[in-house]
Amino acid sequence: VFTFILKFQHDHKVSLPMEQVIVAMQDPDLGIKMKNQRLLITVIPHAMTGNDIVEWLMKKYSIMEEEALHVGDLLVRHGYIYPLKEPRNLVLRPDESPYRFQTPYFWSSQQWPASELDYAIYLTKKNIRKQGQLIDYEKENYNLLHKRINHTWDFVVMQAKEQLRASKQRRKADRIVLECQEQAYWLINRPPPGAFDIREHGPERRNRLTSRVQLVRLHSFIIHQKKIHDRTFIKYSEQYFSHDPMMHGCPPSNPWITDDITHWALNTNTVSTPTKLRVERWSFRFMELLSDPLGRLKFMEYLEKEFSAENLCFWEACEDIRHGENSRIPQKVQEVYKQFLAPGASKWVNVDSKTMEKTLEGLRRPNRFVMDDAQMHIYFLMKKDSYPRYLKSDLYKNLLVKAIAPQETKRSVFPFMRRHRHSSPNPALVAQALEEDGKAKRLGSPRITSPATSP
Amino acid sequence: KDDVIAAASAARARRSGRVGLATASRSTSDPHPAEMATHELHPNDTLTTLKMESENLKAKLEEERAKLHDVELHQVAEKIEALGQFVMKTRRTLKGHGNKVLCMDWCKDKRRIVSSSQDGKVIVWDAFTTNKEHAVTMPCTWVMACAYAPSGCAVACGGLDNKCSVYPLSLDKNENLAAKKKSVAMHTNYLSACSFTNSDMQILTSSGDGTCALWDVESGQLLQSFHGHGADVLCLDLAPSETGNTFVSGGCDKKANVWDMRSGQCIQSFETHESDINSVRYYPSGDAFASGSDDATCRLYDLRADREVAIYSKESIIFGASSVDFSLSGRLLFGGYNDYTINVWDVLKGNRVSILFGHENRVSTLRVSPDGTAFCSGSWDHTLRIWA
């Protein structure tokens, strides 16, 4: 007799989809066709072969054999199906090996704590049946339990004997099935050392829903309702299609596939002639231009020609405030004000009066967001005005013309010849070297230096 | 009872036409710079009536949505060409962790990665050569979060120690990295995820204590905290937007919340998953994000339409998705699952393009490289794999 206690557990939701599959497999009409299977001289009813399982999964879910075998194997490993031949080995063999469905009583989702008492009774039964010849780890566990719950050992032995007596009165086929079921259950709940432990779930997630009433928090109410922007995602994916190495390849070749790092060498931040794809990408959206350090550099060159470089410098300085150390905010804000916003500032930026007023107000209590409005204003100024003009400029057009467009190299004729995989300098090393050189940091230069990749 | 009060007044505020969401801060001891909804309760309010009010509002919202005749993404994408045969293989296998790999992150140099594992080890690799370049042993087990600093000069990590620590990467082979360790974040439960913002100076964290938080690295000061999840927060991702002020988080309460980093407010919330959300990742344009959940599905949420627009699922996938990421163009979504496989989805058409076998235990973490040339998966089988 097994004692059981129901407890709330997050395991439950993990098992449920698996159980749906198991239930579908046992459907009288659409499930697997169960048959008698022969196990040596005994006929076991209501069984199926490994092949049956794989084929059913392939058909039901329209998947290939490899995936079906994988899924089926997981069902066995999790104790929902057990093998009749070699019952200690919980794997799915895609052949005529016989298998049976585990009784729901023993499903891992039932979450009865597999108690020490139950395990002791099981091992005792086995010990008696095998006349003391238990397997190593089971023998060890048996001895440990004997010590730990010695005070109830009489009860254990009595239960074990009673269950053995009852089972002797069953037909051989039933006895075999019940023994296999129980064994499969314990293989899952007390796995042999070194074996896969399916019970492992990682650190417990304290699901607060059980201890607290959760009222649904509704989001962005009716005011914000918009029709789905139909083609946004389609357009984006199409635009970036040829830039996506996984969709379109990677000129001249993907370093991970061919071990040739030319692709990276051609796209460093210090390269003198950028690639065509890269220059093209700057025209997709303003943020693409700004987030590429080389793009930003080239854009700065253009702005300098237009005598509006202070806008980009201001934007960079604001970024530096927003993402920099907390302690340096007041100092940086002061400097930015002096350089860009104060009347007669050397790099004065044209911010509208309302924004300026708000910013000046905020300067009294400088925080990291004090420049946000002004920064946004200048950002959109550049985006709407300088950026489109840059794309039409000779400077940009020349870049495009001169840009490198490496040919996609053909697959190596000798695929077995492995190239030497060159190492590259650790970015921490590069940064350290730069600092040691004592390079002065311009105010407004990007705080973050993207690590250079050199071949 | 505080939750009930706050939620009731929030509902009332919304009904009166005030846009936006007031969060109910669970802990009143935290100074909250954001507006708080007024804490009033009507004499007739009971748990039952408030619950009913909530259900009614929910139903009304669905009604309004239905009026707009919104369609699913795959219907819009019906006419576009299907993707052809898809071949991706393991190009590198990184062996060196002695236990389950739990998390990884790419360096901006497109080839280095940092990974963390159950036994407390954090390793920095040049994935291209498979050389290990740095290693540090944390004083705790289950290091579930790690991140590479944008400069490439430091890594952040944490887990069951409830903290997020930053280790500057020293090139002196003899120097013990642990010596320069800086404790930055302090939560009251495990650290589930961490990410640097645009610089080395700020870190965003999520925790089993149900909150997210933004920290100043230099001083360890808490800059902003984000309350609103009703259970453990398991993941987060920063938005690649022009204004760079939002991020999304997912939790055990089945919700994905979008937050304003300035105010600490939750500005959007999505609750369509049927189980824990293990992973969230923005679509490259920032207009949407994908999520992976224990309910064995991945979903796509459109931020401007304010709803779920795609579900990526298959009846034969019966284990949870632990980690998701997009290819560079956003056309492909890679999902690492607890059944040891990686499923590749066509984001637009909704069908599965490929299934990748190789790992011998759960896939716990998955990230596409910064230039989209490859993705890395980490697994409970102690290894990391680079696929291209």
Side-chain angles (χ1 to χ4, degrees):
Chain A
V1 173
F2 283 76
T3 54
F4 56 89
I5 309 149
L6 281 171
K7 71 177 175 184
F8 296 109
Q9 261 241 28
H10 61 264
D11 280 341
H12 196 68
K13 49 185 179 275
V14 174
S15 303
L16 234 36
M18 243 196 301
E19 283 166 17
Q20 284 169 21
V21 174
I22 290 293
V23 166
M25 277 177 128
Q26 293 177 79
D27 185 274
D29 301 313
L30 301 170
I32 300 183
K33 296 286 172 275
M34 310 294 275
K35 288 197 287 270
N36 291 343
Q37 292 290 340
R38 194 165 279 279
L39 191 68
L40 295 178
I41 54 165
T42 321
V43 172
I44 311 286
H46 239 63
M48 57 207 163
T49 67
N51 265 338
D52 290 338
I53 297 169
V54 174
E55 274 168 26
W56 185 88
L57 286 167
M58 281 175 71
K59 195 156 160 239
K60 165 87 175 166
Y61 298 120
S62 314
I63 54 181
M64 307 295 279
E65 187 173 344
E66 189 178 13
E67 189 176 358
L69 184 56
H70 179 80
V71 175
D73 190 61
L74 284 169
L75 294 173
V76 176
R77 291 223 224 178
H78 281 77
Y80 286 91
I81 294 174
Y82 60 89
L84 292 164
K85 206 167 70 175
E86 281 178 66
R88 297 200 66 87
N89 197 6
L90 295 181
V91 292
L92 178 66
R93 274 180 294 269
D95 53 23
E96 296 303 299
S97 308
Y99 288 85
R100 261 183 132 258
F101 289 105
Q102 177 64 290
T103 174
Y105 188 80
F106 279 140
W107 283 1
S108 40
S109 63
Q110 297 295 12
Q111 286 150 39
W112 309 329
S115 74
E116 287 194 320
L117 194 62
D118 299 325
Y119 192 41
I121 295 170
Y122 167 71
L123 286 177
T124 306
K125 276 197 297 187
K126 234 185 178 181
N127 201 31
I128 295 172
R129 258 195 355 250
K130 298 207 179 217
Q131 292 156 331
Q133 296 302 310
L134 285 176
I135 304 173
D136 290 347
Y137 81 97
E138 283 185 331
K139 200 180 205 114
E140 246 181 75
N141 286 342
Y142 178 78
N143 292 334
L144 269 165
L145 281 168
H146 186 89
K147 248 192 244 159
R148 207 155 47 218
I149 57 170
N150 196 279
H151 51 284
T152 62
W153 206 254
D154 288 341
F155 176 72
V156 169
V157 173
M158 185 187 76
Q159 280 295 308
K161 285 190 171 149
E162 184 57 40
Q163 288 180 22
L164 281 173
R165 198 183 57 76
S167 83
K168 277 204 180 88
Q169 297 178 345
R170 295 199 178 92
R171 292 184 313 150
K172 187 162 184 207
D174 290 343
R175 197 166 60 233
I176 290 176
V177 160
L178 287 170
E179 271 168 25
C180 281
Q181 280 179 349
E182 204 182 12
Q183 179 160 242
Y185 175 80
W186 287 111
L187 280 170
I188 301 247
N189 285 283
R190 294 285 187 276
F196 191 73
D197 189 351
I198 61 126
R199 297 167 306 161
E200 260 216 289
H201 278 122
E204 204 183 301
R205 294 175 180 180
R206 288 182 11 235
N207 203 321
R208 263 153 257 239
L209 287 170
T210 56
S211 57
R212 216 182 208 134
V213 173
Q214 277 303 299
L215 293 185
V216 172
R217 208 162 297 279
L218 296 174
H219 46 92
S220 288
F221 219 51
I222 295 171
I223 302 156
H224 284 164
Q225 283 302 295
K226 279 195 176 102
K227 221 179 156 85
I228 166 182
H229 287 251
D230 301 0
R231 301 195 62 83
T232 311
F233 304 116
I234 297 174
K235 283 201 196 113
Y236 188 93
S237 293
E238 276 173 3
Q239 187 179 41
Y240 282 84
F241 183 82
S242 43
H243 296 254
D244 187 339
M246 292 174 184
M247 306 289 307
H248 193 254
C250 185
S253 68
N254 188 321
W256 299 101
I257 299 177
T258 61
D259 289 350
D260 173 19
I261 59 168
T262 309
H263 173 76
W264 285 334
L266 294 176
N267 284 292
T268 67
N269 292 328
T270 50
V271 83
S272 51
T273 317
T275 63
K276 220 175 202 83
L277 279 176
R278 188 177 187 176
V279 178
E280 204 179 85
R281 209 163 144 179
W282 298 342
S283 69
F284 288 177
R285 35 189 59 79
F286 188 37
M287 213 49 214
E288 283 285 2
L289 178 66
L290 284 189
S291 50
D292 182 346
L294 189 64
R296 200 194 288 191
L297 199 71
K298 298 291 182 191
F299 185 53
M300 182 72 91
E301 280 172 20
Y302 170 74
L303 290 177
E304 274 162 6
K305 286 211 160 70
E306 298 260 303
F307 303 106
S308 56
E310 65 277 356
N311 285 337
L312 186 55
C313 292
F314 176 67
W315 183 84
E316 287 180 334
C318 292
E319 284 287 285
D320 193 25
I321 292 173
R322 244 171 18 122
H323 298 288
E325 306 100 315
N326 226 29
S327 58
R328 294 191 55 205
I329 290 177
Q331 175 203 352
K332 286 182 183 173
V333 167
Q334 268 283 57
E335 284 170 4
V336 166
Y337 173 73
K338 262 190 2 217
Q339 264 218 343
F340 298 97
L341 296 173
S346 56
K347 294 188 179 174
W348 190 77
V349 290
N350 193 359
V351 175
D352 69 286
S353 53
K354 193 163 163 224
T355 310
M356 180 65 101
E357 208 181 297
K358 197 168 172 204
T359 309
L360 290 174
E361 178 68 42
L363 283 181
R364 298 211 205 134
R365 278 169 292 115
N367 59 70
R368 73 178 55 245
F369 303 115
V370 71
M371 291 295 175
D372 268 19
D373 289 331
Q375 182 184 6
M376 194 98 84
H377 180 88
I378 296 298
Y379 176 84
F380 283 111
L381 201 70
M382 289 192 289
K383 181 178 174 181
K384 298 252 153 69
D385 184 35
S386 316
Y387 175 59
R389 284 192 291 112
Y390 171 62
L391 295 179
K392 297 200 187 91
S393 70
D394 287 335
L395 225 59
Y396 179 75
K397 289 195 177 137
N398 276 338
L399 274 175
L400 212 50
V401 162
K402 292 204 182 108
I404 305 174
Q407 290 279 56
E408 190 105 28
T409 54
K410 299 225 167 72
R411 272 202 194 285
S412 173
V413 181
F414 302 100
F416 305 109
M417 225 167 71
R418 233 187 57 175
R419 281 196 167 87
H420 174 64
R421 292 171 179 170
H422 294 270
S423 55
S424 75
N426 189 310
L429 173 69
V430 174
Q432 210 168 300
L434 279 177
E435 253 183 74
E436 277 159 16
D437 272 359
K439 286 209 173 126
K441 290 192 170 105
R442 287 181 299 136
L443 180 73
S445 72
R447 185 120 196 18
I448 319 102
T449 47
S450 279
T453 51
S454 30
Chain B
K1 202 177 177 199
D2 286 340
D3 259 13
V4 169
I5 294 168
S9 43
R12 235 168 253 122
R14 278 191 296 281
R15 255 213 317 264
S16 67
R18 270 200 271 148
V19 174
L21 213 63
T23 50
S25 182
R26 282 186 298 114
S27 114
T28 48
S29 57
D30 282 338
H32 212 289
E35 284 179 19
M36 288 291 286
T38 51
H39 289 222
E40 18 167 294
L41 203 62
H42 285 186
N44 292 332
D45 277 339
T46 62
L47 200 57
T48 324
T49 59
L50 289 168
K51 264 181 163 173
M52 263 177 56
E53 190 176 308
S54 175
E55 287 302 312
N56 287 340
L57 286 170
K58 218 178 171 188
K60 197 157 179 221
L61 188 64
E62 282 313 304
E63 213 182 285
E64 289 296 315
R65 280 189 178 145
K67 284 187 194 162
L68 292 172
H69 301 294
D70 273 337
V71 293
E72 295 291 307
L73 181 56
H74 69 91
Q75 291 167 284
V76 177
E78 241 165 26
K79 297 232 170 68
I80 61 172
E81 238 179 87
L83 294 172
Q85 252 302 342
F86 205 73
V87 176
M88 280 191 100
K89 296 190 196 156
T90 301
R91 305 291 173 175
R92 302 284 191 279
T93 306
L94 304 176
K95 297 188 187 164
H97 277 291
N99 214 312
K100 307 178 177 66
V101 176
L102 304 175
C103 188
M104 62 79 44
D105 190 20
W106 286 91
C107 174
K108 280 210 159 77
D109 77 348
K110 311 159 193 175
R111 49 188 285 173
R112 282 176 171 77
I113 63 168
V114 61
S115 60
S116 62
S117 71
Q118 183 191 354
D119 59 4
K121 276 244 161 45
V122 176
I123 301 178
V124 173
W125 318 69
D126 176 354
F128 188 71
T129 58
T130 71
N131 291 338
K132 299 189 224 349
E133 294 190 339
H134 304 273
V136 69
T137 308
M138 296 271 288
C140 70
T141 58
W142 288 94
V143 186
M144 294 173 271
C146 65
Y148 222 121
S151 69
C153 298
V155 293
C157 48
L160 283 186
D161 59 351
N162 300 356
K163 297 194 227 157
C164 185
S165 309
V166 175
Y167 291 85
L169 295 177
S170 163
L171 291 135
D172 182 354
K173 294 289 174 189
N174 296 323
E175 185 168 358
N176 181 12
L177 281 187
K180 290 237 174 80
K181 159 179 159 176
K182 190 180 242 184
S183 235
V184 175
M186 295 264 278
H187 279 278
T188 55
N189 210 311
Y190 64 85
L191 189 82
S192 54
C194 64
S195 173
F196 285 89
T197 61
N198 273 17
S199 78
D200 288 15
M201 299 297 136
Q202 291 171 350
I203 289 189
L204 191 60
T205 59
S206 65
S207 164
D209 68 12
T211 71
C212 298
L214 183 67
W215 310 82
D216 176 61
V217 173
E218 186 194 40
S219 63
Q221 189 190 340
L222 171 68
L223 299 173
Q224 183 64 266
S225 69
F226 306 89
H227 296 258
H229 277 288
D232 310 25
V233 187
L234 300 176
C235 52
L236 58 84
D237 192 32
L238 282 149
S241 79
E242 304 184 291
T243 47
N245 269 331
T246 61
F247 74 94
V248 63
S249 65
C252 288
D253 57 356
K254 313 175 199 170
K255 288 202 253 180
N257 290 338
V258 180
W259 307 86
D260 179 314
M261 279 167 75
R262 278 189 59 164
S263 63
Q265 299 260 35
C266 174
I267 54 180
Q268 271 176 291
S269 186
F270 303 89
E271 191 176 353
T272 61
H273 270 296
E274 292 166 21
S275 187
D276 298 2
I277 297 178
N278 297 312
S279 175
V280 285
R281 194 72 65 211
Y282 273 94
Y283 183 81
S285 71
D287 294 324
F289 69 90
S291 59
S293 160
D294 272 349
D295 68 6
T297 71
C298 299
R299 297 177 196 232
L300 188 70
Y301 297 92
D302 182 324
L303 291 167
R304 286 181 295 168
D306 191 39
R307 58 182 270 264
E308 172 193 293
V309 294
I311 304 184
Y312 307 102
S313 69
K314 206 164 153 52
E315 277 187 317
S316 58
I317 300 173
I318 53 182
F319 283 79
S322 63
S323 194
V324 298
D325 203 356
F326 288 96
S327 73
L328 189 139
S329 65
R331 181 68 192 265
L332 300 171
L333 180 70
F334 299 99
Y337 288 74
N338 290 337
D339 68 356
Y340 333 155
T341 67
I342 294 161
N343 288 291
V344 186
W345 302 92
D346 180 333
V347 170
L348 302 178
K349 287 179 120 24
N351 61 300
R352 185 183 65 186
V353 169
S354 185
I355 177 169
L356 304 173
F357 297 97
H359 279 296
E360 293 166 12
N361 205 323
R362 291 196 195 191
V363 177
S364 52
T365 180
L366 188 155
R367 297 294 296 262
V368 172
S369 73
D371 63 353
T373 49
F375 74 84
C376 178
S377 60
S379 162
W380 280 19
D381 69 5
H382 308 188
T383 70
L384 295 123
R385 285 171 181 245
I386 309 286
W387 305 77

